[in-house]
């Protein structure tokens, strides 16, 4: 009955996973300061050429000006977006139930949002608000038609011989064409989920400058989706319409008291995207104030910036590999702990997964040699060794059930790995078919 509280999604660059970065807190006509900062960084990243670490001068200033202008344009006082029926069946039904002829009254989406919220339909109000806020592509016209923005940014030229206004229009137009996920009202709704896992493998690829930029965009997007409510305080509610103030004050109090954890795997993929790493560093620095823990995972110790290591209060070392000396030096390990990292961190085994936990307290730094004692089934679920992953995948396909496959593997190889057995099978067999495909032989 609580299944909806935990969600896993493999994000794809399609309209089905559309996330509008211009969404605001319920009832807010403008973004909070934290959301405005995110939008500024996000648009600046879009304007930064692939392969170039630093944005053009004035990029952040121009992004901020466009953000303010686009929200002002679609606010109640100017040109709010008009209600269109059939975009949300549930919204239409509620309005009809209460006898509200939104179409005949020529209501705006913002008026519909207020009406639904006032009637107690908070979820539907949030659904309606998706059609009231700006979209990414609308920033292009706003920038072109804003006299103040044109005056400031239509003349200065950069090395490409373009003005900042031209760079903005071209960059945003390219992003709209390239990333379907960015330019529609939000479809991907986390609702009331408390545990959120977003798999970015299909949209955050390793490779050249273009791939690195796309990775940065997707990491920033994912961070925004899961963490946009992390830093809500009672002060932010003072900026919302009076109708929503009590609602947001209650939310802010509850969120502030809730322990939160932000985990980012494959952190090396952000190495060429300074904007993402700066956001993570800010989260780490301010985490204690917001009851937020930040967990970063990667394969090599150099994937983490020095500042991140200095701030970290706990380091989990799963393997030292051939660079154990550098690991020991970087994390200030003593001789005994260094020897453990060198000789004893050899991956999952029957007893569990060995690791060194290096932690900092007010009284100094301490290290412990520990085992994560999980069951053989869990060992098989978490193993990423190529041989184990291949065997697990093929057995799952054969049985049609990942659960059954893990149970069988755990029974046959309780140590959580079949790597040694596969290597021995190949080394001691003259049958070419077995040497070529030992996995099929083991399954049969």
């Amino acid at each position: 009955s609580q299944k909806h509280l935990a969600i896993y999604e493999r994000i794809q660059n399609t309209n089905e996973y559309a996330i509008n970065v211009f969404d605001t807190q319920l009832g807010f006509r403008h973004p909070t300061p934290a959301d405005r900062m995110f939008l500024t960084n996000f648009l600046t990243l879009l304007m930064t050429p692939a392969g170039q670490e630093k944005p053009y001068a004035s990029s952040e200033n121009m992004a901020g000006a466009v953000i303010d202008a686009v929200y002002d344009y679609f606010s109640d006082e100017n040109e709010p977006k008009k209600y269109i029926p059939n975009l949300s069946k549930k919204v239409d039904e509620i309005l009809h139930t209460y006898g509200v002829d939104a179409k005949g009254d020529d209501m705006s989406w913002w008026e519909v949002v207020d009406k639904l919220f006032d009637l107690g339909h908070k979820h539907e109000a949030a659904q309606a608000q998706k059609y009231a806020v700006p979209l990414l592509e609308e920033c292009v016209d706003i920038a072109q038609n804003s006299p103040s923005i044109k005056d400031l940014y239509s003349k200065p030229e950069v090395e490409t011989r373009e003005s900042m206004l031209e760079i903005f229009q071209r960059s945003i137009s390219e992003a709209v064409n390239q990333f379907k996920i960015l330019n529609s009202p939000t479809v991907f709704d986390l609702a009331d989920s408390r545990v959120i896992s977003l798999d970015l493998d299909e949209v955050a690829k390793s490779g050249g400058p273009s791939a690195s930029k796309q990775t940065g965009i997707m990491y920033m997007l994912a961070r925004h989706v899961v963490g946009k409510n992390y830093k809500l305080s009672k002060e932010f509610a003072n900026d919302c319409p009076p109708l929503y103030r009590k609602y947001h004050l209650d939310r802010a109090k509850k969120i502030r008291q809730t322990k939160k954890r932000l985990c980012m795997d494959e952190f090396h993929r952000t190495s060429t995207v300074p904007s993402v790493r700066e956001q993570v560093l800010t989260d780490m620095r301010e985490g204690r104030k917001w009851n937020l823990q930040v967990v970063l995972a990667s394969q090599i110790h150099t994937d983490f910036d020095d500042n991140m290591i200095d701030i970290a209060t706990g380091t989990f070392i799963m393997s030292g590999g051939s660079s154990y000396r550098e690991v020991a030096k970087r994390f200030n390990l003593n001789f005994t702990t260094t020897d453990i990292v060198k000789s004893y961190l050899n991956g999952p085994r029957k007893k569990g997964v060995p690791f060194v936990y290096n932690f900092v307290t007010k009284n100094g730094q301490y290290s412990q040699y520990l085992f994560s004692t999980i069951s053989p089934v869990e060992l098989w679920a978490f193993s990423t060794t190529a041989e184990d992953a291949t065997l697990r995948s093929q057995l799952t396909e054969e049985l049609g059930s990942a659960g059954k496959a893990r149970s069988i593997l755990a029974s046959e190889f309780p140590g959580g790995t079949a790597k040694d057995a596969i290597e021995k099978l190949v080394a001691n067999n003259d049958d070419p078919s077995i040497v070529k495909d030992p996995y099929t032989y083991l399954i049969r």
Side-chain angles (χ1 to χ4, degrees):
S1 63
Q2 298 187 41
K3 200 172 183 180
H4 64 284
L5 295 179
I7 184 173
Y8 164 83
E9 289 288 350
R10 188 175 178 87
I11 301 298
Q12 300 177 44
N13 184 24
T14 63
N15 291 328
E16 181 183 355
Y17 290 92
I19 300 168
N20 182 11
V21 293
F22 287 88
D23 283 336
T24 56
Q25 297 292 334
L26 184 58
F28 276 64
R29 271 54 170 176
H30 292 79
T32 64
D35 287 342
R36 185 184 182 279
M37 183 179 296
F38 160 75
L39 283 170
T40 301
N41 292 337
F42 192 77
L43 294 187
T44 300
L45 177 58
L46 294 182
M47 295 169 64
T48 304
Q52 182 173 308
E53 289 193 9
K54 293 184 177 181
Y56 294 117
S58 300
S59 292
E60 291 184 6
N61 292 335
M62 182 177 181
V66 173
I67 291 165
D68 293 338
V70 75
Y71 280 107
D72 285 340
Y73 182 82
F74 290 112
S75 65
D76 302 80
E77 297 79 11
N78 294 308
E79 297 292 335
K81 296 182 179 182
K82 297 301 181 182
Y83 166 75
I84 302 174
N86 302 321
L87 290 181
S88 173
K89 184 178 179 181
K90 188 64 176 176
V91 169
D92 295 342
E93 289 176 353
I94 294 174
L95 292 177
H96 179 72
T97 298
Y98 286 93
V100 179
D101 185 7
K103 185 178 181 182
D105 294 340
D106 198 27
M107 291 177 70
S108 71
W109 275 110
W110 279 122
E111 290 174 309
V112 171
V113 173
D114 292 344
K115 187 67 177 177
L116 291 171
F117 184 87
D118 194 35
L119 292 170
H121 297 279
K122 297 181 179 64
H123 179 73
E124 288 74 20
Q127 295 297 312
Q129 185 166 313
K130 296 176 182 180
Y131 303 103
V133 294
L135 294 174
L136 181 62
E137 65 178 353
E138 292 166 342
C139 292
V140 176
D141 289 335
I142 294 297
Q144 177 63 42
N145 296 316
S146 171
S148 61
I149 292 176
K150 288 182 70 174
D151 289 345
L152 285 172
Y153 301 106
S154 61
K155 292 181 181 179
E157 292 185 346
V158 297
E159 50 266 36
T160 62
R161 306 294 294 173
E162 296 173 288
S163 68
M164 286 303 301
L165 181 58
E166 290 171 331
I167 288 174
F168 180 84
Q169 291 175 314
R170 175 176 56 79
S171 300
I172 301 304
S173 297
E174 289 174 350
V176 167
N177 292 329
Q178 183 178 358
F179 302 111
K180 295 180 181 179
I181 192 174
L182 294 180
N183 195 51
S184 298
T186 296
V187 175
F188 181 58
D189 188 5
L190 299 177
D192 299 321
S193 301
R194 300 291 299 277
V195 181
I196 303 164
S197 176
L198 302 182
D199 186 341
L200 304 182
D201 192 56
E202 289 194 24
V203 293
K205 301 294 185 181
S206 301
S210 295
S212 295
K213 181 176 179 178
Q214 178 172 328
T215 294
I217 290 170
M218 293 303 165
Y219 264 79
M220 284 191 72
L221 192 62
R223 162 62 183 81
H224 176 66
V225 168
V226 301
K228 62 183 177 181
N229 295 325
Y230 280 169
K231 301 178 182 180
L232 296 184
S233 64
K234 62 181 182 180
E235 288 76 18
F236 100 98
N238 295 328
D239 298 325
C240 73
L243 176 64
Y244 301 87
R245 192 158 294 156
K246 184 181 185 305
Y247 166 74
H248 284 301
L249 283 172
D250 292 342
R251 283 183 69 226
K253 182 179 179 181
K254 186 176 181 179
I255 290 170
R256 189 67 177 265
Q257 294 173 348
T258 302
K259 292 184 180 295
K260 299 166 283 288
R261 179 175 291 141
L262 175 66
C263 307
M264 300 178 73
D265 196 7
E266 305 289 358
F267 194 65
H268 64 277
R269 293 185 178 183
T270 69
S271 60
T272 58
V273 195
S275 54
V276 175
R277 298 177 85 89
E278 287 170 10
Q279 177 63 62
V280 170
L281 192 57
T282 299
D283 289 336
M284 295 178 72
R285 283 173 170 158
E286 300 178 356
R288 184 172 297 178
K289 179 172 66 174
W290 300 107
N291 219 351
L292 169 67
Q293 296 178 347
V294 179
V295 181
L296 308 176
S298 198
Q299 286 80 14
I300 305 175
H301 66 94
T302 53
D303 291 335
F304 309 105
D305 298 341
D306 290 340
N307 286 338
M308 295 174 180
I309 291 178
D310 291 340
I311 294 173
T313 55
T315 305
F316 298 80
I317 303 172
M318 317 305 292
S319 173
S322 59
S323 59
Y324 72 92
R325 291 188 180 89
E326 289 80 3
V327 171
K329 182 178 180 181
R330 195 153 197 222
F331 296 106
N332 195 28
L333 305 181
N334 60 32
F335 177 81
T336 301
T337 308
T338 300
D339 185 59
I340 292 172
V341 171
K342 173 187 175 182
S343 306
Y344 294 95
L345 305 187
N346 301 315
R349 60 191 73 165
K350 188 173 183 178
K351 184 178 179 181
V353 181
F355 66 97
V356 164
Y357 175 38
N358 197 43
F359 55 104
V360 179
T361 73
K362 293 180 180 179
N363 298 321
Q365 176 176 302
Y366 299 87
S367 297
Q368 290 285 330
Y369 173 47
L370 303 170
F371 277 83
S372 177
T373 53
I374 58 179
S375 72
V377 172
E378 290 173 303
L379 285 173
W380 271 104
F382 296 137
S383 178
T384 57
T385 303
E387 292 86 351
D388 295 335
T390 301
L391 180 60
R392 182 178 59 212
S393 176
Q394 290 193 15
L395 185 57
T396 298
E397 186 176 345
E398 181 81 16
L399 299 175
S401 169
K404 288 182 180 179
R406 288 193 295 267
S407 296
I408 292 173
L409 290 169
S411 176
E412 294 293 324
F413 304 100
T417 179
K419 186 173 186 295
D420 290 344
I422 292 170
E423 289 177 348
K424 288 180 181 178
L425 180 63
V426 171
N428 300 327
N429 211 297
D430 296 327
D431 188 333
S433 63
I434 295 177
V435 173
K436 184 179 180 180
D437 183 13
Y439 308 103
T440 300
Y441 177 80
L442 281 175
I443 290 172
R444 290 175 179 173

